[in-house]
Amino acid sequence: MNTGFALVLQRLYEVTGYSPRGSAAQKNARCPAHDDRQPSLTVGVKQDGVVVMNCHGGPKCPTKDIMAALNLPMSALWPTELQKHSSNDDRWMPCGHDKVAEYLYRDQDGTVLYGVARCEKKGQGCQGFRQWRPDPSKRSGRRWSLQGDDGNLAVKLVPYRLPEVLAAVREERVVMICEGEKDVEALRARPLITATCNPMGAGKWRPEFRQYFHGADVSIVADRDEPGRRHAETVVASLMPVARSIYVVQAAHGKDASDHLSAGGTTGDFIEVWVPKPYEYEEHNG
Ligand SMILES: [Zn+2]
Ligand SMILES: [Zn+2]
């Protein structure tokens, strides 16, 4: 799967509300750059991974306008070295276990800042994940550490799927904050849901993440355990001064969001456990 193509299709769905239809490599979609009543945009991916799009509607919108309407950089159209590497069945990670998932953390403009690879041996002598950062001097394109030679952080840390978080805050949609990338992916697979987490799991929320949540309506999914409860408290305290509303919920089935959803739960039937900052309708008196 070409990640640029998948990202473009995902954003087309989010922005136009119309799920692109067609074959694996060629889709019809609604054009986000003009008022498109029919799917007059074709989007395809070439053998080499390059994404091509054409608006066949009245205005024949240029690709740069379409990408701007999707809030994506033009670079998302071309496969990066990184994407080429990660699209191979490259399962190696430094803990020696098979990689089962990989999550890319992007800055607001879509640039990949770092990645997290996950194995399935958490609790069996392995922490279950390893971070890497892009490094063009390495044959694999990555260096398996977020620290520079001086021992300091060599990357800017951001919440997972930051561009989607910022779009949701701007469009006044709820942002769900859960504990890990696997939960985020399970949540955002549901229609109209935006979800995020901090890197490295419970207890690793960073105060500077607050800057992305000004005016946000937030729903925190706390894991059903002691670290989960403490983590939710930390996130609440951090966002209290800036968020518009904050609710804390828990899974009705199992321990976390992925358990809840895979047991048949929906995004609407989490159990509300705490309302630190209720949503208040603004009164506009004439
Ligand atoms: Zn158009
Ligand atoms: Zn491992």
Side-chain angles (χ1 to χ4, degrees):
M1 169 67 88
N2 174 277
T3 50
F5 189 48
L7 181 65
V8 166
L9 296 179
Q10 168 73 24
R11 284 298 294 152
L12 278 167
Y13 170 65
E14 288 171 358
V15 172
T16 66
Y18 178 89
S19 185
R21 267 144 245 220
S23 67
Q26 177 80 31
K27 306 271 188 198
N28 294 306
R30 282 204 183 132
C31 175
H34 78 275
D35 182 19
D36 191 12
R37 302 296 162 85
Q38 46 208 345
S40 59
L41 181 74
T42 55
V43 191
V45 61
K46 298 196 292 183
Q47 207 86 64
D48 58 6
V50 175
V51 179
V52 194
M53 52 177 70
N54 282 296
C55 170
H56 302 280
K60 306 265 184 293
C61 308
T63 299
K64 69 168 174 40
D65 292 358
I66 298 168
M67 291 302 274
L70 296 178
N71 194 24
L72 288 176
M74 289 296 281
S75 60
L77 297 172
W78 294 286
T80 61
E81 283 308 306
L82 218 57
Q83 288 163 348
K84 278 186 218 156
H85 284 294
S86 55
S87 69
N88 296 334
D89 61 337
D90 157 26
R91 306 224 146 265
W92 186 87
M93 55 186 283
C95 61
H97 305 128
D98 271 4
K99 179 166 79 189
V100 294
E102 183 146 72
Y103 310 106
L104 299 180
Y105 278 71
R106 295 173 186 272
D107 208 348
Q108 10 201 331
D109 65 357
T111 314
V112 174
L113 294 170
Y114 55 99
V116 174
R118 182 164 65 81
C119 72
E120 252 172 2
K121 302 287 182 186
K122 187 177 178 183
Q124 302 168 48
C126 182
Q127 63 178 145
F129 58 86
R130 285 286 194 282
Q131 293 97 13
W132 54 266
R133 66 184 200 266
D135 183 346
S137 74
K138 296 280 187 179
R139 206 160 59 94
S140 67
R142 58 186 66 185
R143 182 180 290 261
W144 287 92
S145 168
L146 300 189
Q147 265 107 45
D149 295 334
D150 58 5
N152 293 321
L153 260 186
V155 297
K156 171 186 170 192
L157 294 183
V158 292
Y160 186 45
R161 295 197 171 273
L162 177 60
E164 292 168 32
V165 170
L166 295 173
V169 173
R170 216 168 33 238
E171 294 158 17
E172 303 190 73
R173 287 181 282 110
V174 170
V175 179
M176 303 189 81
I177 303 178
C178 44
E179 262 189 40
E181 299 91 354
K182 188 180 166 199
D183 289 337
V184 172
E185 293 306 314
L187 284 166
R188 66 187 288 284
R190 303 298 168 106
L192 303 175
I193 297 293
T194 301
T196 186
C197 64
N198 54 268
M200 295 162 238
K204 303 288 185 185
W205 180 264
R206 297 177 70 91
E208 71 263 28
F209 291 171
R210 173 192 297 178
Q211 66 183 296
Y212 306 115
F213 292 88
H214 280 269
D217 293 309
V218 165
S219 195
I220 299 167
V221 187
D223 277 16
R224 197 175 275 288
D225 56 16
E226 185 54 24
R229 193 183 63 77
R230 279 201 307 269
H231 184 66
E233 284 175 357
T234 306
V235 179
V236 167
S238 171
L239 298 186
M240 205 62 185
V242 296
R244 180 165 69 174
S245 66
I246 307 177
Y247 289 72
V248 180
V249 302
Q250 278 185 336
H253 316 278
K255 169 173 166 284
D256 56 25
S258 3
D259 287 353
H260 175 88
L261 295 173
S262 59
T266 70
T267 52
D269 61 6
F270 283 101
I271 298 167
E272 193 176 290
V273 291
W274 183 24
V275 186
K277 197 167 188 180
Y279 181 83
E280 281 168 19
Y281 292 93
E282 285 170 36
E283 297 203 20
H284 297 284
N285 295 323

